[in-house]
């Protein structure tokens, strides 16, 4: 190689080396000295929105996040965190920005729901409603025209009622996640409007000369109806939604309809092949105590009771722990641990006790869950969950450790363990739990019309998050369907 060629090669090598060095140095200076960078602000915004910057780090110490590439005047990028996280979305971005993006995306995305026009005997007819001839649904434009749901213990499993009302009103001017569509082929999910919990509570016993209960008869008719529908046959029921919130509801039909997505209180009485977190939704009970407004919620020093439990003490299965805890705690001066029912003045007493207590025990009973947890949340009494097999509503977006305490059953029954734990929690720590409790409490409120972020809206959002797996199954089943249909047209 000639000297001239060698000189040229060396010069090119040094030029490339220096260029790479300067590029790295300039990139570093852009991060350290944002006021002097050459890249337009619009490009940085694009980088932020798409979460492609390696320099964005979440700040876990504060709720107010400021972005280093912008001045304090950029108020659209200096924002307060929402109460919900956004799973699997922009995981590299700060939590606040991730939440804001998630909320905006979810607000734009609607859950399209097709509703079967089942006869009233399956839904509002169970409430004593009788419409005009050929009228399937009550009018929902006025509260006075809507059949009320029975109170007491019935109310805690009324999820079916609130979801159905929301769908009936979804085409009126309102803000909501779910919208009713008239064509099942356009739907993300097919809703089965059967008030299964009410059917169990009111019609599971035989009356008079009946040989089959109304509850069992309705389930039999429902199976016949669904399995004969083209909508069910199309995907084997995978895209159907059935509310079976009471643990004993749908007892006769659940195996035959187990491919559907269920809305449940827990999995305590279901085999894993019928109900599981992979396909089903855990929804909160409707609390029965009075909701305490945030401004009326008593602080640490105004809650003289350390821990509160009022309910059935002698339970079977996993609920035997209640009896053990009763004998450990009943004589403690700052503990309220008594038998109680919803009858008489029971609800009022429970409400007063919870709102005067620092901690409320949620102990496993006949099933892992109970309404007591949601009564505690409504009372802003920090829940202490002693139920190893419990599944919690919306846990993919809510971190319960921010407002609850969890104690393993094996630890709770150790003498002195629970008392030492709760008495050792200082005021500042309890206040953080209490403040977060007040923030998330609206997510567990059922209402009509539904409100953004209330329990109805949260359930629909949970269903919406599940529809990706439904779509996955649907697309796999459709792999050859279109090709085969095309081939038939060509042959014909």
């Amino acid at each position: 190689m000639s000297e001239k060629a060698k000189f040229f090669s060396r010069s090119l090598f040094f030029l490339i080396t220096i260029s790479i060095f300067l590029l790295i140095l300039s990139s570093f200076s852009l991060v350290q000295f944002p006021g002097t960078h050459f890249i337009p602000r619009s490009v940085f915004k694009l980088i932020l929105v798409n979460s492609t910057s390696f320099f964005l780090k979440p700040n876990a110490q504060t709720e107010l996040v400021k972005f280093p590439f912008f001045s304090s005047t950029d108020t659209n990028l200096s924002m307060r965190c929402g109460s919900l996280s956004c799973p699997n979305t922009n995981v590299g971005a700060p939590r606040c920005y991730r939440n804001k993006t998630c909320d905006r995306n979810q607000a734009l995305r609607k859950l399209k729901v097709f509703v079967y026009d089942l006869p009233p005997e399956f839904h509002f007819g169970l409430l004593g409603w009788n419409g005009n001839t050929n009228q399937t649904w009550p009018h929902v434009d006025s509260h006075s025209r809507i059949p009320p749901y029975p109170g007491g213990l019935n109310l805690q499993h009324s999820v079916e009622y609130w979801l159905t009302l929301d769908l009936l009103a979804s085409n009126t001017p309102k803000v909501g996640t779910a919208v009713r569509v008239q064509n099942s082929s356009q739907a993300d999910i097919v809703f089965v409007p059967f008030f299964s919990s009410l059917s169990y509570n009111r019609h599971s016993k035989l009356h008079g000369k009946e040989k089959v209960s109304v509850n069992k008869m309705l389930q039999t008719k429902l199976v016949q109806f669904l399995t004969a529908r083209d909508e069910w046959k199309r995907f084997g029921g995978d895209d159907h939604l059935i509310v079976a919130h009471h643990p004993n509801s749908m007892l006769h039909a659940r195996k035959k309809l187990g491919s559907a997505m269920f809305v449940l209180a827990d999995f305590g009485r279901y085999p894993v092949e019928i109900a599981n977190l992979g396909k089903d939704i855990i929804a909160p009970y409707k609390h029965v105590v009075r909701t305490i407004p945030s401004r009326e919620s008593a602080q640490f020093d105004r809650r003289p009771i350390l821990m509160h439990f009022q309910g059935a003490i002698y339970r079977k299965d996993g609920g035997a722990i209640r009896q053990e805890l009763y004998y450990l705690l009943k004589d403690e001066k700052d503990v309220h641990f008594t038998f109680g029912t919803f009858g008489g003045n029971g609800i009022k007493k429970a409400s007063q006790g919870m709102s005067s207590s620092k901690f409320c025990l949620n102990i496993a009973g006949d099933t892992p869950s109970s309404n007591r947890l949601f009564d505690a949340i409504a009372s802003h009494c920090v829940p202490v969950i002693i139920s190893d097999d419990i599944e919690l509503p919306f846990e993919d977006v809510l971190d319960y450790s921010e407002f609850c305490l969890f104690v393993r059953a094996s630890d709770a029954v150790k003498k002195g363990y629970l008392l030492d734990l709760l008495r050792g929690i200082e005021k500042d720590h309890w206040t953080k739990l209490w403040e977060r409790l007040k923030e998330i409490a609206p997510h567990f409120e059922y209402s009509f019309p539904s409100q953004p972020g209330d329990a109805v809206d949260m359930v629909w959002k949970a269903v919406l998050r599940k529809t990706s797996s439904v779509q996955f199954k649907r697309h796999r089943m459709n792999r050859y369907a279109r090709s085969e249909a095309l081939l038939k047209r060509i042959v014909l």
Side-chain angles (χ1 to χ4, degrees), residues 146-157:
I146 301 172
Y149 202 90
L153 288 175
N154 293 289
L155 196 61
Q156 61 183 336
H157 296 295

Side-chain angles (χ1 to χ4, degrees), residues 6-20:
K6 289 181 181 180
F7 176 80
F8 178 80
S9 298
R10 289 171 183 169
S11 299
L12 183 62
F13 173 78
F14 285 122
L15 181 62
I16 293 173
T17 303
I18 293 171
S19 298
I20 293 173

Side-chain angles (χ1 to χ4, degrees), residues 83-124:
S83 59
L84 299 180
S85 64
C86 182
N88 303 321
T89 304
N90 296 347
V91 292
R95 182 182 175 194
C96 270
Y97 190 79
R98 192 162 69 242
N99 292 350
K100 205 73 173 181
T101 304
C102 177
D103 291 344
R104 183 167 60 250
N105 291 339
Q106 286 193 346
L108 294 174
R109 174 78 163 94
K110 294 288 185 180
L111 178 72
K112 292 176 288 186
V113 185
F114 176 77
V115 183
Y116 284 125
D117 284 324
L118 285 171
E121 64 176 330
F122 286 95
H123 42 82
F124 289 97

Side-chain angles (χ1 to χ4, degrees), residues 424-441:
I425 293 177
E426 297 179 352
K427 179 179 178 178
D428 287 348
H429 186 189
W430 182 91
T431 301
K432 287 181 181 179
L433 297 170
W434 172 72
E435 291 286 5
R436 182 67 177 132
L437 197 56
K438 290 189 293 179
E439 288 177 0
I440 59 87

